[in-house]
């Protein structure tokens, strides 16, 4: 008998996140037997920042790999303790040359708890997006830990070509990595006949899609890329 996967085409999955993360997700989805369609709904752009705002030798905090990449473009500093939100951001920080990387459990609240459990010396600098996913500085400040935020990059909507968007919307599965991408996707699906199964990195990513006529919505218990891909694999 011919194996099921040998006679059926690989199901397509639309990856909506921005590069370079999109390409990494696509490679992992392909390894799971899916046909990845990379069509980012957002792209990241650097913001004008006075490099002096990044000076100092206190601890750094990053809540995304994009934050790490933006920081290293602006500052030569690679020393001191670095706190990161999860595995992907930790990998980006180590690849950039930071030797002392402390990894959180996948979200801002857990990262704040990790910092407060072993308070570092000095003010924590959160190198962040213009619209961060959570209020890390506020959480630390409420516990008496000095912290400040500097926005290094922003996300903006992309303008996919109509044929590319039509093909992406025909995918039976869609992955969403941020609440903003979820809002953008909700607007596109609201006027389409497609009924995909949408999986988000967290429930917050999927909140804008609730109420739409879809095949389903699901998010992993932890906001980790590996857990999201395991969820995708379970639909194969």
């Amino acid at each position: 008998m011919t194996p099921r996967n040998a006679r059926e085409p690989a199901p397509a999955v639309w990856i909506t996140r921005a590069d370079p993360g999109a390409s990494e997700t696509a490679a992992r989805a392909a390894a799971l037997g899916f046909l990845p369609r990379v069509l980012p709904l957002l792209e990241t752009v650097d913001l004008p920042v006075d490099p002096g705002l990044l000076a100092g030798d206190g601890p750094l905090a990053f809540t995304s790999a994009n934050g790490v990449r933006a920081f290293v473009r602006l500052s030569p500093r690679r020393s001191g303790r670095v706190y990161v939100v999860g595995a992907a951001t930790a990998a980006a920080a180590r690849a950039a040359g930071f030797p002392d990387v402390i990894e959180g459990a996948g979200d801002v609240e857990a990262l704040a708890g990790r910092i407060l459990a072993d308070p570092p010396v000095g003010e924590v600098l959160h190198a962040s997006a213009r619209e961060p996913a959570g209020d890390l500085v506020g959480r630390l400040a409420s516990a008496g830990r000095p912290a400040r935020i500097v926005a290094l990059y922003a996300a903006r909507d992309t303008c996919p070509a109509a044929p590319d968007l039509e093909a992406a919307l025909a995918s039976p599965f869609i992955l969403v990595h941020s609440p903003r991408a979820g809002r953008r996707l909700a607007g596109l699906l609201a006027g389409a006949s497609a009924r995909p199964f949408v999986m988000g990195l967290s429930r917050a990513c999927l909140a804008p899609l609730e109420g739409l006529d879809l095949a389903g919505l699901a998010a992993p218990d932890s906001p980790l890329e590996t857990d999201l891909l395991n969820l995708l694999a379970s639909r194969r």
Side-chain angles (χ1 to χ4, degrees):
M1 180 180 293
T2 304
R4 177 178 181 271
N5 289 347
R7 68 172 184 266
E8 292 185 2
V13 55
W14 177 12
I15 297 164
T16 63
R17 71 185 303 195
D19 271 321
S23 297
E24 298 167 3
T25 300
R28 297 179 70 181
L32 293 173
F34 290 84
L35 174 65
R37 289 175 173 160
V38 176
L39 188 66
L41 291 178
L42 304 173
E43 61 183 358
T44 58
V45 293
D46 288 344
L47 297 174
V49 177
D50 178 356
L53 294 175
L54 307 179
D57 56 4
L60 299 172
F62 297 108
T63 48
S64 73
N66 285 325
V68 175
R69 288 187 280 266
F71 183 89
V72 300
R73 287 193 292 268
L74 289 164
S75 172
R77 177 186 169 186
R78 302 293 183 271
S79 61
R81 175 158 292 185
V82 173
Y83 293 91
V84 299
V85 71
T89 310
R94 294 187 180 104
F98 291 102
D100 186 9
V101 178
I102 306 299
E103 185 178 328
D107 60 28
V108 170
E109 183 62 27
L111 178 59
R114 180 66 184 84
I115 295 171
L116 293 171
D118 182 20
V121 175
E123 181 182 56
V124 177
L125 170 60
H126 180 198
S128 175
R130 182 165 59 192
E131 298 178 19
D135 186 9
L136 177 64
V137 167
R139 174 72 173 82
L140 295 177
S142 68
R145 168 54 45 189
R148 63 188 175 95
I149 186 171
V150 178
L152 304 184
Y153 71 97
R156 67 183 180 190
D157 293 348
T158 60
C159 297
D164 294 336
L165 185 58
E166 183 178 356
L169 284 168
S171 305
F173 301 105
I174 302 177
L175 299 184
V176 181
H177 284 73
S178 71
R180 179 165 176 172
R183 292 193 294 272
R184 182 88 191 282
L185 180 62
L188 294 170
L189 288 173
S193 59
R195 296 184 66 253
F197 195 104
V198 183
M199 284 160 272
L201 192 63
S202 67
R203 294 304 306 182
C205 298
L206 299 177
L209 297 149
E210 293 177 357
L212 295 181
D213 183 20
L214 303 174
L217 293 172
D221 292 334
S222 300
L224 301 173
E225 172 85 350
T226 295
D227 290 350
L228 176 61
L229 289 166
N230 286 340
L231 188 62
L232 176 65
S234 72
R235 307 297 304 181
R236 186 72 170 89

